[in-house]
Amino acid sequence: MFGLQWAIKKYVLEKVRSNGYYLEDASRRLRDDEEVVLVAIKSQSGAFKYASKRLKNDRDFVLAALKAKVSIFEYLPNELRNDVAVMLEVIKNNEVYYLRKYVPEALGNNREVLLEAVKKDGYALECASEELRNDREIVLEAVKRAGEVLEYASEELRNDREIVLEAVKKDGYALQYASEELRNDREIVLEAVKQNGNALQYASEDLRNDREIVLEAVKKYYGAFKYASEELRSDKEIVFIAVQKDTDMFQYVSREMQDDKDLNLLLMLKDNKNIRNASTTAMQLIVHDMAQMLARGGAYSQVAANAENKKVAKKTKSEDEAE
């Protein structure tokens, strides 16, 4: 009898190894066999649904099963989903997503679990309770991995200089969630625009008039030019960087700078279609300069022709005298 049971088990093991869902057709005894069930879930995590009730609720077996296939988490009974050891095992397997999706409240209310979770996935902070959103260690670990989760930090921690600095280094856009005070912090804003030029739009009015910051922002992304102060939208170096990248930036150039001859020439050289966008004043200057160049070129050509004619005439005269 033992030999027959072993033969059947061996057959079932081969079947579930190729397709875990064959476990559904196995005998009650084999659906309660740890080896068979583990082989089945390695093939298909959904096979866990067909495990015996005993195995589904056996904490030690579930922990072993998670090591084999962490995606079985979605099939676990609620009691085990909320078990600290089970949640920590999921985190060890870098699958914080399952906790965020299925047990966000349990994740967000347990400091030990949440701290480990944000070390792997900063977005776990979104699930944090109000109390833990004000936990400095947790928030700092979270923004180091995903700067934009600064959004979920408490108001107090969005005014924490170290935390905000870490956040903008990871994602410049995180600047939008910083306190008003820190959006006027030169070092923080400079780090933000170095990471993402468009972060300039969230800087204070004073810092959008800081030449070094605006220059860094426009170098990183030309579109940041439109967030610069009126004064710096007249800065020739900054203007040229932006328009050189995209002539559409010309519309944000200060009125005074729009009449710049060199800028309009650049605009036309980039694309002939831009002639219609060029400044009338600048066009007149360009045409005037071109006319002068042509005039100088024409005068030079006439002088050269006259000189050549004189050479020919002199040569002819010498030949006649020789004869």
Side-chain angles (χ1 to χ4, degrees), residues 111 114-115 118 125 132 135-143:
R111 188 183 189 280
L114 184 61
L115 181 57
V118 296
L125 186 64
L132 293 181
D135 186 299
R136 193 175 189 280
E137 184 181 6
I138 287 175
V139 173
L140 186 57
E141 289 292 342
V143 299

Side-chain angles (χ1 to χ4, degrees), residues 136-239:
R136 193 175 189 280
E137 184 181 6
I138 287 175
V139 173
L140 186 57
E141 289 292 342
V143 299
K144 284 179 179 179
R145 279 132 191 107
E148 60 269 38
V149 301
L150 182 64
E151 175 184 4
Y152 306 113
S154 67
E155 185 176 352
E156 178 182 343
L157 293 183
R158 283 188 276 117
N159 192 42
D160 183 299
R161 194 173 188 280
E162 183 185 359
I163 287 175
V164 172
L165 191 56
E166 286 292 340
V168 299
K169 283 180 179 179
K170 192 68 178 176
D171 185 342
Y173 267 130
L175 184 63
Q176 65 184 298
Y177 304 116
S179 66
E180 185 176 352
E181 177 184 344
L182 293 183
R183 283 188 278 116
N184 193 41
D185 183 298
R186 194 173 187 281
E187 182 185 359
I188 287 174
V189 173
L190 190 56
E191 287 294 335
V193 299
K194 283 180 179 178
Q195 201 286 322
N196 187 321
N198 255 341
L200 183 65
Q201 64 186 295
Y202 304 115
S204 67
E205 186 175 349
D206 284 346
L207 293 183
R208 283 189 278 116
N209 193 41
D210 183 299
R211 191 177 189 280
E212 182 185 359
I213 287 175
V214 172
L215 189 57
E216 282 291 339
V218 175
K219 283 180 178 178
K220 187 68 178 178
Y221 177 59
Y222 62 86
F225 177 72
K226 58 188 162 190
Y227 303 116
S229 66
E230 176 76 13
E231 179 181 341
L232 291 180
R233 283 187 279 118
S234 291
D235 185 292
K236 196 160 187 173
E237 181 183 2
I238 293 173
V239 168

